[in-house]
Amino acid sequence: MSRELLAPEGLRVDGRRPPELRRLLTRVGLFAVADGSAYVELGNTKCLAAVYGPKEPRTQSAQLHDRAVINVEYNVASFSSGERKSRTRRDKRLLEIASVIKRTFEPVVMTATFPRSEIDIYIQILQLDGGALHAAINASCLAMIDAGIPMSDYVVACSAGFASGTALLDLNYIEESAETPALTVAMLPKSGKLTMLNMESRLHLDHFKDVLDLATEGCKSLAESLDEAVRKACKTPRPI
Amino acid sequence: MSGDAATGGFVLDPDTFKKIQPLEYHRRFLEQDVRADGRPLRMFRALEFRAVPNIDLPALCSPQFRPGPPGELTQSLSTFLEHIISSGHIIDLDTLCVASGRAVWVLYADIICLNYAGNVLDAAVAALMAALRNVRLPDVTVGEDADADAAPVISGKPSKPIHLSRSLVSSTFGVFDKQLLLADPTNEEEALVSSSVSVVLDDKDVVCGVFKPGGAAASKALIDECIAAARERTSRLVEALGGLGK
């Protein structure tokens, strides 16, 4: 590892303690044209999600007779990270993340309520500082709730990693890019079940439980914040 | 080209001569120490100074846009923006030059619409101008002669803003029932108007662009009316902001 991610005093590169989340800022129902929308800021990672639907599918072939189809489009703004990158919409990495998010929501959304219809989730990352996937899932969850789409529970996601012998919660860009093993978890906070686990690097089995426990703790903490955001949004009138 | 390709009263015109004998054509120029396009032998062509605007109307911003490759509206808006900033001479191109003939800055302007509520062009022009006013370029030095191929180095000096020679304001009008002008149409009105006219003016009342993407034919009087209304609006904006360049 080129750089020490945990200082001897036990602080991380951005000054957090290992089990500490970044500052969360949420806005629910900010757009009038979308059926549901939400904005999530996790530290410097900024993510916007809009939900359209349930509505008539664009193509006949895309519909299912017994339930609604969920479509996810995940976009990263070319100005979101330090170096300008213009990604095409056919970028395999973007498609893969979109597909992960789609499959995370499918078991939770009561799709059987809306046969022969579709629900579109559009995600736009505006600024990237690590944790794009869990910011996107949290923003999508708020936008789905704002759109009034029935779900059996919240879907709350959080990441955790492992560096310098310690499990770290909610990795930022520096920690993610230092080849830290990173695990992203999506959880249903009421039942405590996990709908998505995503890890693409090597981690010793002895440490895996610590990392997973920390990530689920992070999810629980985020779930309270999201619930608070939804309750607050219900009390404030929507923009016209 | 002075053609001594004359044989027996027959004179070949330069274009034909170039096609038939390209090598000889260039050789004739080079003998006079000049090249076919008028440059000396060791002179590079001017590097292109560029600012590349790119509008994105993702499916996120409105139900009327489909996911997938950019649509016609997106592309025509991007091209129009590129034209008005290049032909409007907004940016003092000398400030984008690092070392003459060797290194220049290219400015990419990525504009993403997040919530489409009609009249995206005016919003995009405003966003573009605000972003250009906010640009700070780091001070860069390029090695001389021997190090000419080395990458430019960022010096420790503070970054500098670019100089904008003028500021643009776009004013869009929807033409309702072929005669009624609606300033700044909403997306609902956009669907109902017979055509729309955008007038881009600078802070000195110079028209830098007019955009009327088809639609119903409008009389010249109506276009004049649009320009007059745009002029009034622009001067009020300039007054309110105390000069747009600031």
Side-chain angles (χ1 to χ4, degrees):
Chain A
M1 203 174 300
S2 56
R3 189 172 169 181
E4 204 59 55
L5 292 177
L6 203 62
E9 301 83 44
L11 293 178
R12 292 155 68 177
V13 280
D14 52 5
R16 283 183 288 157
R17 304 244 164 234
E20 199 178 327
L21 283 169
R22 285 177 287 177
R23 189 184 69 115
L24 174 77
L25 192 131
T26 53
R27 279 177 73 192
V28 181
L30 55 162
F31 295 148
V33 281
D35 294 312
S37 54
Y39 172 72
V40 165
E41 223 177 274
L42 258 173
N44 289 326
T45 297
K46 299 175 181 180
C47 175
L48 193 62
V51 169
Y52 292 90
K55 56 189 178 67
E56 196 179 334
R58 277 187 297 265
T59 51
Q60 284 293 311
S61 58
Q63 67 177 22
L64 293 174
H65 70 93
D66 58 342
R67 60 192 157 92
V69 175
I70 299 177
N71 300 311
V72 177
E73 200 188 52
Y74 175 84
N75 260 322
V76 178
S78 40
F79 49 76
S80 62
S81 48
E83 201 159 312
R84 182 181 186 273
K85 257 183 233 155
S86 110
R87 292 167 191 265
T88 60
R89 288 194 173 81
R90 299 253 63 89
D91 189 318
K92 286 220 170 61
R93 185 75 189 146
L94 299 185
L95 292 178
E96 190 212 334
I97 294 174
S99 143
V100 166
I101 295 171
K102 172 189 156 106
R103 282 178 290 160
T104 305
F105 277 91
E106 258 167 355
V108 192
V109 178
M110 298 180 167
T111 45
T113 332
F114 311 105
R116 289 179 294 279
S117 51
E118 70 175 0
I119 298 165
D120 291 337
I121 305 176
Y122 297 119
I123 299 158
Q124 178 81 50
I125 299 283
L126 298 173
Q127 194 167 297
L128 203 52
D129 183 26
L133 177 58
H134 67 268
I137 292 177
N138 294 335
S140 309
C141 173
L142 288 178
M144 290 289 268
I145 293 169
D146 184 45
I149 290 168
M151 297 199 289
S152 56
D153 200 346
Y154 281 81
V155 184
V156 185
C158 192
S159 74
F162 193 83
S164 315
T166 318
L168 308 175
L169 188 64
D170 190 15
L171 302 184
N172 64 27
Y173 179 75
I174 297 172
E175 291 165 337
E176 265 184 10
S177 49
E179 291 186 29
T180 316
L183 172 76
T184 304
V185 172
M187 190 172 90
L188 313 181
K190 288 254 159 47
S191 60
K193 284 182 181 161
L194 305 178
T195 53
M196 189 270 291
L197 278 172
N198 192 6
M199 186 165 85
E200 290 161 349
S201 43
R202 213 159 53 106
L203 176 66
H204 197 281
L205 201 56
D206 292 350
H207 305 308
F208 183 76
K209 195 177 173 299
D210 292 345
V211 173
L212 182 60
D213 284 348
L214 189 63
T216 48
E217 281 308 310
C219 287
K220 282 179 196 158
S221 164
L222 280 173
E224 282 171 29
S225 313
L226 296 193
D227 188 58
E228 208 176 291
V230 170
R231 282 173 201 279
K232 202 176 122 205
C234 291
K235 286 178 190 145
T236 43
R238 283 200 55 144
I240 303 143
Chain B
M1 188 199 132
S2 62
D4 33 336
T7 38
F10 174 69
V11 180
L12 210 57
D13 71 280
D15 283 343
T16 316
F17 180 51
K18 185 180 168 185
K19 278 227 168 74
I20 301 170
Q21 291 284 351
L23 188 67
E24 194 55 33
Y25 173 80
H26 282 280
R27 196 168 278 148
R28 295 272 172 97
F29 278 106
L30 299 178
E31 278 163 6
Q32 308 294 319
D33 281 336
V34 67
R35 285 154 70 179
D37 59 3
R39 277 183 293 154
L41 271 59
R42 296 288 176 89
M43 189 185 167
F44 287 88
R45 275 174 295 183
L47 279 177
E48 210 181 345
F49 303 99
R50 281 198 304 162
V52 188
N54 181 32
I55 293 197
D56 192 10
L57 298 173
L60 171 126
C61 72
S62 165
Q64 79 194 67
F65 303 118
R66 301 277 163 86
E72 277 175 30
L73 174 67
T74 314
Q75 298 197 12
S76 63
L77 286 174
S78 294
T79 327
F80 181 66
L81 276 189
E82 192 170 350
H83 282 313
I84 59 168
I85 49 174
S86 62
S87 66
H89 302 291
I90 299 176
I91 305 165
D92 182 1
L93 292 178
D94 290 340
T95 59
L96 291 185
C97 181
V98 177
S100 183
R102 293 226 299 278
V104 292
W105 289 102
V106 177
L107 300 178
Y108 288 98
D110 295 297
I111 304 164
I112 301 182
C113 175
L114 297 176
N115 186 41
Y116 187 92
N119 194 9
V120 69
L121 180 65
D122 289 8
V125 172
L128 178 66
M129 292 315 301
L132 284 175
R133 248 172 268 141
N134 206 23
V135 169
R136 296 192 72 88
L137 295 175
D139 192 63
V140 167
T141 47
V142 183
E144 289 301 319
D145 305 326
D147 312 324
D149 291 337
V153 183
I154 295 176
S155 68
K157 287 187 206 158
S159 56
K160 284 180 287 188
I162 55 169
H163 179 252
L164 299 185
S165 31
R166 64 190 73 205
S167 213
L168 302 183
V169 175
S170 162
S171 309
T172 298
F173 302 90
V175 185
F176 193 77
D177 276 349
K178 290 190 180 172
Q179 47 181 350
L180 213 56
L181 282 187
L182 305 175
D184 191 13
T186 63
N187 53 337
E188 281 168 29
E189 289 163 349
E190 266 181 1
L192 301 172
V193 295
S194 50
S195 67
S196 80
V197 183
S198 300
V199 181
V200 182
L201 291 176
D202 77 351
D203 42 1
K204 292 171 194 75
D205 264 2
V206 178
V207 179
C208 295
V210 179
F211 189 51
K212 183 185 178 300
S219 64
K220 197 182 157 290
L222 202 68
I223 303 285
D224 289 343
E225 211 179 310
C226 288
I227 293 175
R231 175 171 289 173
E232 196 198 321
R233 183 213 179 202
T234 307
S235 62
R236 264 190 287 123
L237 262 181
V238 171
E239 205 177 304
L241 297 171
L244 290 163
K246 277 141 208 155

